[in-house]
Amino acid sequence: MTKKAIFSVEHTVKNRGMELSVWEKFAHASSQKPIVVLAHGSATAGRESFDLQVPGKPSYSLMDFLANEGFDVFAPDIRGFGRSIHPEAHVSTADAMEDLNTVVEYILQLRAMKTVSLVCWSWGTQYGGMLAMSFPDKIEKY
């Protein structure tokens, strides 16, 4: 497998006034690449979960791997995690699903696409599954 140069962009998406951070990785600019959105668990944020950078171990980043395979990859930080807003109130699974839906809508508009694929881990399977059941027309694969 030939490794390509991987590029990254940090996006800020607003959900009802709350700022959510979204980390993107891609190997080449194109608006029609298949999109993968990664939903993190309850212990770490998106970037830390899916874009682990270990010196001398380039294969540790799932985002780099997927970008090298031709996907446009996004890892949002749900509210209360990573670089997103940290509200004082408890973050429910329904809140996380709402945040993920807002991020997916943003990505679909940004890339002029109709669907994304979701890869979910741990708690992400709960709020990602809720999104897939509530808005199946937005999800290519889960």
Side-chain angles (χ1 to χ4, degrees):
M1 171 174 75
T2 305
K3 295 231 177 205
K4 302 171 182 118
I6 304 295
F7 304 95
S8 57
V9 177
E10 187 163 13
H11 302 265
T12 300
V13 178
K14 288 194 177 187
N15 178 16
R16 292 189 287 131
M18 292 179 284
E19 290 190 353
L20 306 173
S21 179
V22 182
W23 186 239
E24 176 188 12
K25 300 285 285 261
F26 57 94
H28 64 282
S30 169
S31 61
Q32 296 301 307
K33 291 182 294 187
I35 298 167
V36 174
V37 178
L38 304 169
H40 65 78
S42 63
T44 56
R47 187 171 176 180
E48 290 75 14
S49 295
F50 302 111
D51 194 24
L52 182 62
Q53 299 294 317
V54 178
K57 303 285 185 182
S59 64
Y60 280 32
S61 170
L62 176 61
M63 292 186 80
D64 285 351
F65 174 81
L66 291 171
N68 194 58
E69 292 296 312
F71 293 94
D72 198 352
V73 189
F74 294 84
D77 291 347
I78 297 305
R79 74 181 87 163
F81 292 87
R83 291 155 194 80
S84 291
I85 189 167
H86 287 254
E88 290 187 24
H90 171 75
V91 179
S92 70
T93 303
D95 294 333
M97 191 274 286
E98 181 184 308
D99 288 351
L100 184 59
N101 185 47
T102 299
V103 168
V104 167
E105 274 299 314
Y106 168 81
I107 294 166
L108 292 174
Q109 290 178 16
L110 180 70
R111 295 291 181 255
M113 299 288 280
K114 294 184 191 267
T115 60
V116 302
S117 291
L118 286 178
V119 174
C120 306
W121 175 34
S122 189
W123 179 51
T125 62
Q126 292 179 15
Y127 64 86
M130 289 170 62
L131 178 71
M133 289 187 298
S134 299
F135 302 100
D137 55 317
K138 297 179 187 180
I139 309 303
E140 176 78 20
K141 293 179 183 174
Y142 173 73

